[in-house]
Amino acid sequence: MNRSAGLLCALYLATSTGLAWTAVRELRHGPVWAACLFAAASLVPVIAVVRESVLGDHRRALAERELRAAGPADDVVRAELDTACCERWWTSCGTDHDSTCPRRVPRSSAA
């Protein structure tokens, strides 16, 4: 969970605590229907905290999945770079080789 989500969860829990405290006060000194209303309202921020934690888990799982998916692509690029002949081969899109390249193929003058 990142810092903003943690701060938001702390705010949710503070709101829930305040609403629960108000529900207790209403139960002692006010109408029962108001106490029930505040008690129900104090559950809503708790649901929001659970939702934030589930979203954080989903984001973390998605990031891990993207990391795993990037692994094979990196291996392919690394293998291609390892099998490269020479710099001129890369810059000429595979048509020319350096004079010191062991894979240099002599060009024929036949058309």
Side-chain angles (χ1 to χ4, degrees):
M1 187 178 305
N2 58 16
R3 185 180 296 177
S4 63
L7 182 64
L8 190 60
C9 286
L11 182 64
Y12 285 150
L13 291 176
T15 304
S16 180
T17 304
L19 287 168
W21 180 74
T22 305
V24 170
R25 300 272 302 172
E26 281 296 315
L27 187 61
R28 289 183 183 166
H29 305 291
V32 176
W33 64 268
C36 292
L37 181 69
F38 282 116
S42 70
L43 294 177
V44 174
V46 173
I47 294 169
V49 169
V50 171
R51 181 178 177 269
E52 284 293 325
S53 65
V54 168
L55 285 175
D57 291 343
H58 283 296
R59 285 187 195 114
R60 199 172 312 113
L62 181 63
E64 289 174 4
R65 189 178 318 138
E66 287 176 356
L67 254 164
R68 275 188 260 125
D74 291 342
D75 293 340
V76 169
V77 170
R78 187 173 296 109
E80 289 295 323
L81 287 172
D82 289 342
T83 60
C85 292
C86 55
E87 186 176 343
R88 184 178 291 167
W89 183 85
W90 278 105
T91 57
S92 65
C93 297
T95 58
D96 292 331
H97 292 271
D98 286 337
S99 60
T100 59
C101 181
R103 295 185 181 174
R104 184 174 182 212
V105 178
R107 294 184 184 181
S108 66
S109 60

